[in-house]
């Protein structure tokens, strides 16, 4: 668990590492400083908050987005929000350094979120 990380919405670890591979639990668009505050409005704002939360978790174990090899993204309004997500997604990574990615539509997410993202990262050897 990362002490500065978002409050978990279920029983899990923020990250688990095995043989240099790091698995980051799906993060929600909650504010770690105000976990009961309303969620940001819209998928773009929620995605930015989720990525900030992922960066907090990664930073807590000495890694950053540049170490991410795979992302899985879950959207509750896939058809409505997929294009907006795609337009925003490259801004989080260095040019030409996007991780592999899967994006799926789901019926619901915890805390009424529009988006959740989990990651796989690799610690440099």
């Amino acid at each position: 668990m990362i002490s500065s990380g978002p409050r978990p919405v279920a029983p899990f670890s923020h990250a688990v590492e095995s043989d240099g591979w790091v698995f980051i639990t799906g993060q929600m668009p909650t504010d770690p400083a105000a976990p009961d505050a309303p969620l940001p409005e819209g998928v773009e704002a929620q995605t930015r908050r989720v990525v900030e939360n992922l960066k907090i978790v990664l930073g807590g174990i000495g890694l950053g987005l540049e170490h991410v090899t795979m992302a899985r993204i879950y959207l509750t309004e896939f058809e409505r929000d997929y294009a907006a997500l795609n337009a925003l997604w490259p801004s989080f990574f260095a040019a030409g350094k996007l991780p592999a990615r899967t994006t799926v539509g789901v019926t619901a997410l915890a805390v009424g979120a529009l988006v959740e993202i989990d990651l796989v990262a690799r610690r440099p050897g």
Side-chain angles (χ1 to χ4, degrees), residues 1 5-6 13 25 33 35-36 78-79 90 101 107 115 124:
M1 294 302 292
S13 297
T25 295
D36 295 318
F78 188 89
E79 290 189 19
R101 189 185 105 183
T107 59
V115 60

Side-chain angles (χ1 to χ4, degrees), residues 5-104:
R7 180 177 69 195
V9 297
F12 58 71
S13 297
H14 282 127
V16 174
E17 184 168 354
S18 178
D19 295 325
W21 290 101
V22 183
F23 304 88
I24 309 296
T25 295
Q27 295 298 308
M28 309 311 296
T30 54
D31 183 346
D36 295 318
L39 299 180
E41 290 290 326
V43 73
E44 292 96 340
Q46 287 196 19
T47 299
R48 284 186 190 92
R49 179 72 257 170
V50 167
V51 171
E52 286 303 311
N53 289 346
L54 290 164
K55 288 167 56 177
I56 291 168
V57 173
L58 285 164
I61 55 173
L63 298 174
L65 289 176
E66 69 274 16
H67 300 105
V68 173
T69 60
M70 175 71 183
R72 286 179 294 248
I73 303 172
Y74 309 90
L75 296 172
T76 59
E77 298 289 341
F78 188 89
E79 290 189 19
R80 182 191 73 192
D81 293 340
Y82 188 62
L85 172 77
N86 284 335
L88 183 61
W89 186 248
S91 70
F92 301 118
F93 300 94
K97 301 285 186 179
L98 294 171
R101 189 185 105 183
T102 299
T103 306
V104 296

Side-chain angles (χ1 to χ4, degrees), residues 105-125:
V106 296
T107 59
L109 292 168
V111 302
L114 299 174
V115 60
E116 178 176 352
I117 303 171
D118 67 60
L119 302 174
V120 178
R122 180 79 169 151
R123 188 174 297 281

